[in-house]
Coordinates of all heavy atoms in Angstrom, one line a residue:
C76 N 15.0 -62.5 8.3 CA 16.2 -63.3 8.4 C 17.3 -62.7 7.5 O 18.2 -63.5 7.0 CB 15.9 -64.7 8.0 SG 14.9 -65.6 9.2
G77 N 17.2 -61.4 7.2 CA 18.2 -60.8 6.3 C 19.6 -60.6 6.9 O 20.5 -60.4 6.2
V78 N 19.7 -60.7 8.2 CA 21.0 -60.6 8.9 C 21.6 -62.0 9.0 O 20.9 -62.9 9.4 CB 20.8 -59.9 10.2 CG1 22.1 -59.7 10.9 CG2 20.1 -58.6 10.0
A79 N 22.9 -62.1 8.7 CA 23.5 -63.4 8.8 C 23.5 -63.9 10.2 O 23.8 -63.2 11.1 CB 25.0 -63.3 8.2
D80 N 23.2 -65.2 10.4 CA 23.3 -66.0 11.6 C 22.2 -65.6 12.6 O 22.1 -66.2 13.7 CB 24.7 -65.8 12.2 CG 25.7 -66.4 11.4 OD1 25.5 -67.3 10.7 OD2 26.9 -65.9 11.5
M81 N 21.3 -64.6 12.4 CA 20.4 -64.1 13.3 C 19.3 -65.2 13.5 O 18.9 -65.6 14.6 CB 19.7 -62.8 13.0 CG 19.0 -62.2 14.2 SD 18.1 -60.8 13.7 CE 16.7 -61.4 12.9
C82 N 18.7 -65.7 12.4 CA 17.7 -66.7 12.5 C 18.2 -68.0 13.1 O 17.4 -68.8 13.7 CB 17.0 -66.9 11.2 SG 15.8 -65.6 10.8
Q83 N 19.4 -68.4 12.8 CA 20.1 -69.5 13.4 C 20.1 -69.4 14.9 O 19.8 -70.4 15.7 CB 21.5 -69.8 12.8 CG 21.5 -70.1 11.4 CD 22.8 -70.3 10.8 OE1 23.8 -70.4 11.6 NE2 23.0 -70.5 9.5
S84 N 20.5 -68.3 15.4 CA 20.6 -68.1 16.9 C 19.1 -68.1 17.4 O 18.9 -68.6 18.5 CB 21.2 -66.7 17.1 OG 20.5 -65.7 16.7
L85 N 18.2 -67.5 16.7 CA 16.8 -67.5 17.2 C 16.3 -69.0 17.2 O 15.6 -69.3 18.2 CB 15.9 -66.7 16.3 CG 14.4 -66.7 16.5 CD1 14.1 -66.1 17.9 CD2 13.6 -65.9 15.4
S86 N 16.6 -69.8 16.3 CA 16.1 -71.2 16.2 C 16.7 -71.9 17.4 O 16.1 -72.7 18.1 CB 16.5 -71.8 14.9 OG 16.2 -73.2 14.9
L87 N 18.0 -71.6 17.7 CA 18.7 -72.4 18.8 C 18.0 -71.9 20.2 O 17.8 -72.8 21.0 CB 20.1 -72.0 18.9 CG 21.0 -72.6 20.0 CD1 21.0 -74.1 19.9 CD2 22.4 -72.0 19.9
S88 N 17.7 -70.7 20.3 CA 17.1 -70.2 21.5 C 15.7 -70.8 21.7 O 15.3 -71.2 22.8 CB 16.9 -68.7 21.5 OG 18.2 -68.0 21.7
L89 N 14.9 -70.9 20.6 CA 13.6 -71.6 20.7 C 13.7 -73.1 21.0 O 12.9 -73.6 21.8 CB 12.9 -71.4 19.4 CG 12.4 -69.9 19.0 CD1 11.8 -69.9 17.6 CD2 11.4 -69.5 20.1
Q90 N 14.7 -73.7 20.4 CA 14.9 -75.2 20.8 C 15.2 -75.4 22.2 O 14.6 -76.2 22.9 CB 16.0 -75.7 19.9 CG 15.6 -75.9 18.4 CD 16.8 -76.4 17.6 OE1 17.5 -77.3 18.0 NE2 17.0 -75.8 16.4
V91 N 16.2 -74.5 22.7 CA 16.5 -74.7 24.1 C 15.4 -74.3 25.0 O 15.1 -75.0 26.0 CB 17.8 -73.7 24.4 CG1 18.1 -73.7 25.9 CG2 19.0 -74.2 23.6
A92 N 14.7 -73.3 24.7 CA 13.6 -72.8 25.6 C 12.4 -73.9 25.6 O 11.9 -74.2 26.7 CB 13.0 -71.5 25.0
V93 N 12.1 -74.5 24.5 CA 11.1 -75.5 24.5 C 11.5 -76.8 25.3 O 10.8 -77.3 26.1 CB 10.7 -75.9 23.0 CG1 9.8 -77.2 23.0 CG2 10.0 -74.8 22.3
L94 N 12.7 -77.3 25.0 CA 13.2 -78.4 25.7 C 13.4 -78.2 27.2 O 13.0 -79.0 28.1 CB 14.5 -78.9 25.1 CG 14.4 -79.5 23.7 CD1 15.7 -79.9 23.1 CD2 13.4 -80.7 23.6
A95 N 13.9 -77.0 27.5 CA 14.1 -76.6 28.9 C 12.8 -76.5 29.7 O 12.6 -76.9 30.8 CB 14.8 -75.3 29.1
T96 N 11.8 -76.0 28.9 CA 10.4 -75.8 29.5 C 9.8 -77.2 29.8 O 9.2 -77.5 30.9 CB 9.5 -75.1 28.6 OG1 10.0 -73.7 28.4 CG2 8.1 -75.0 29.1
I97 N 9.9 -78.1 28.9 CA 9.4 -79.5 29.1 C 10.1 -80.2 30.3 O 9.5 -80.7 31.2 CB 9.6 -80.3 27.8 CG1 8.7 -79.7 26.7 CG2 9.2 -81.8 28.1 CD1 8.9 -80.4 25.3
G98 N 11.5 -80.1 30.3 CA 12.2 -80.8 31.4 C 11.9 -80.2 32.7 O 11.7 -80.9 33.7
A99 N 11.9 -78.8 32.8 CA 11.7 -78.1 34.1 C 10.3 -78.3 34.5 O 10.0 -78.5 35.7 CB 12.0 -76.6 34.0
T100 N 9.3 -78.3 33.6 CA 7.9 -78.5 34.0 C 7.6 -79.9 34.5 O 7.0 -80.1 35.5 CB 7.0 -78.2 32.8 OG1 7.2 -76.9 32.3 CG2 5.5 -78.3 33.2
V101 N 8.2 -80.9 33.9 CA 7.9 -82.3 34.3 C 8.6 -82.5 35.7 O 8.0 -83.0 36.6 CB 8.5 -83.3 33.3 CG1 8.5 -84.7 33.9 CG2 7.7 -83.2 32.1
L102 N 9.9 -82.1 35.8 CA 10.6 -82.3 37.1 C 10.0 -81.4 38.2 O 9.8 -81.9 39.3 CB 12.1 -82.0 36.9 CG 12.9 -83.0 36.0 CD1 14.3 -82.5 35.8 CD2 12.9 -84.3 36.6
G103 N 9.7 -80.2 37.8 CA 9.2 -79.2 38.8 C 7.8 -79.6 39.3 O 7.5 -79.4 40.5
T104 N 7.0 -80.2 38.5 CA 5.7 -80.6 38.9 C 5.8 -81.8 39.9 O 5.1 -81.8 40.9 CB 4.8 -81.0 37.7 OG1 4.7 -79.9 36.8 CG2 3.4 -81.5 38.1
M105 N 6.6 -82.7 39.6 CA 6.8 -83.9 40.5 C 7.4 -83.4 41.9 O 6.9 -83.9 42.9 CB 7.7 -84.9 39.9 CG 7.1 -85.6 38.7 SD 8.0 -87.0 38.1 CE 9.5 -86.2 37.4
V106 N 8.3 -82.5 41.8 CA 8.9 -82.0 43.1 C 7.9 -81.2 43.9 O 7.8 -81.4 45.1 CB 10.1 -81.1 42.8 CG1 10.6 -80.4 44.0 CG2 11.3 -81.9 42.2
A107 N 7.1 -80.4 43.1 CA 6.1 -79.6 43.9 C 5.1 -80.5 44.5 O 4.7 -80.2 45.7 CB 5.3 -78.7 42.9
F108 N 4.6 -81.6 43.9 CA 3.6 -82.5 44.5 C 4.3 -83.2 45.7 O 3.6 -83.4 46.7 CB 3.2 -83.5 43.5 CG 1.9 -83.1 42.7 CD1 2.0 -82.5 41.5 CD2 0.7 -83.3 43.3 CE1 0.9 -82.1 40.8 CE2 -0.5 -83.0 42.5 CZ -0.3 -82.3 41.4
A109 N 5.5 -83.6 45.6 CA 6.2 -84.2 46.7 C 6.3 -83.3 47.9 O 6.1 -83.7 49.0 CB 7.6 -84.7 46.3
L110 N 6.6 -82.1 47.7 CA 6.8 -81.1 48.8 C 5.5 -80.7 49.4 O 5.4 -80.4 50.5 CB 7.6 -79.8 48.3 CG 9.0 -80.0 47.9 CD1 9.6 -78.7 47.3 CD2 9.8 -80.5 49.1
A111 N 4.5 -80.6 48.5 CA 3.2 -80.2 49.1 C 2.3 -81.3 49.7 O 1.5 -81.0 50.6 CB 2.4 -79.5 47.9
R112 N 2.5 -82.5 49.3 CA 1.6 -83.6 49.7 C 2.3 -84.6 50.7 O 1.6 -85.3 51.4 CB 1.2 -84.4 48.5 CG 0.2 -83.6 47.5 CD -1.1 -83.5 48.2 NE -2.1 -82.7 47.4 CZ -2.8 -83.3 46.5 NH1 -2.7 -84.6 46.3 NH2 -3.7 -82.6 45.8
Y113 N 3.6 -84.6 50.8 CA 4.2 -85.6 51.6 C 5.1 -85.0 52.7 O 5.7 -83.9 52.5 CB 5.0 -86.6 50.8 CG 4.3 -87.3 49.7 CD1 4.1 -86.9 48.4 CD2 3.5 -88.5 50.1 CE1 3.4 -87.5 47.5 CE2 2.8 -89.2 49.1 CZ 2.7 -88.7 47.8 OH 1.9 -89.3 46.9
R114 N 5.3 -85.7 53.8 CA 6.2 -85.3 54.9 C 7.4 -86.3 54.9 O 7.1 -87.5 55.0 CB 5.5 -85.3 56.2 CG 4.3 -84.3 56.3 CD 4.8 -82.9 56.2 NE 3.7 -81.9 56.3 CZ 3.1 -81.5 55.2 NH1 3.4 -81.8 54.1 NH2 2.1 -80.6 55.4
F115 N 8.6 -85.9 54.8 CA 9.7 -86.8 54.8 C 10.9 -86.0 55.4 O 11.0 -84.8 55.5 CB 10.1 -87.3 53.3 CG 10.2 -86.1 52.3 CD1 11.5 -85.5 52.1 CD2 9.1 -85.7 51.6 CE1 11.6 -84.5 51.2 CE2 9.2 -84.7 50.6 CZ 10.5 -84.1 50.5
R116 N 11.9 -86.8 55.8 CA 13.1 -86.3 56.3 C 13.9 -85.4 55.3 O 14.2 -85.9 54.2 CB 14.0 -87.4 56.9 CG 15.3 -86.9 57.6 CD 16.0 -88.0 58.2 NE 15.2 -88.8 59.2 CZ 15.7 -89.9 59.8 NH1 16.9 -90.4 59.5 NH2 14.9 -90.5 60.7
G117 N 14.3 -84.2 55.7 CA 15.0 -83.4 54.8 C 14.1 -82.5 53.9 O 14.6 -81.9 53.0
R118 N 12.8 -82.5 54.2 CA 11.8 -81.8 53.4 C 12.1 -80.2 53.4 O 12.1 -79.6 52.4 CB 10.4 -82.0 53.9 CG 9.3 -81.3 53.1 CD 7.9 -81.8 53.5 NE 6.8 -81.0 52.9 CZ 6.4 -79.9 53.5 NH1 6.8 -79.5 54.7 NH2 5.4 -79.2 52.9
S119 N 12.4 -79.7 54.6 CA 12.7 -78.3 54.8 C 14.0 -77.9 54.1 O 14.0 -76.9 53.4 CB 12.8 -77.9 56.3 OG 11.6 -78.2 56.9
A120 N 15.0 -78.8 54.2 CA 16.2 -78.5 53.5 C 16.1 -78.6 52.0 O 16.7 -77.8 51.2 CB 17.3 -79.5 54.0
T121 N 15.3 -79.5 51.5 CA 15.0 -79.6 50.1 C 14.3 -78.4 49.6 O 14.6 -77.8 48.5 CB 14.2 -80.8 49.8 OG1 14.8 -82.0 50.3 CG2 13.9 -81.0 48.3
T122 N 13.3 -77.9 50.3 CA 12.6 -76.7 50.0 C 13.5 -75.5 49.8 O 13.4 -74.7 48.9 CB 11.5 -76.4 51.0 OG1 10.6 -77.5 51.0 CG2 10.7 -75.1 50.6
A123 N 14.4 -75.3 50.8 CA 15.4 -74.2 50.8 C 16.3 -74.3 49.6 O 16.7 -73.3 49.0 CB 16.2 -74.3 52.1

Side-chain angles (χ1 to χ4, degrees):
C76 295
V78 180
D80 299 329
M81 193 187 74
C82 281
Q83 294 180 6
S84 65
L85 176 62
S86 175
L87 178 62
S88 286
L89 290 174
Q90 292 177 39
V91 172
V93 170
L94 293 177
T96 298
I97 295 173
T100 302
V101 173
L102 292 175
T104 300
M105 292 190 292
V106 172
F108 270 93
L110 293 176
R112 293 289 182 87
Y113 300 98
R114 299 292 182 268
F115 53 89
R116 183 178 298 177
R118 178 173 175 269
S119 299
T121 303
T122 302

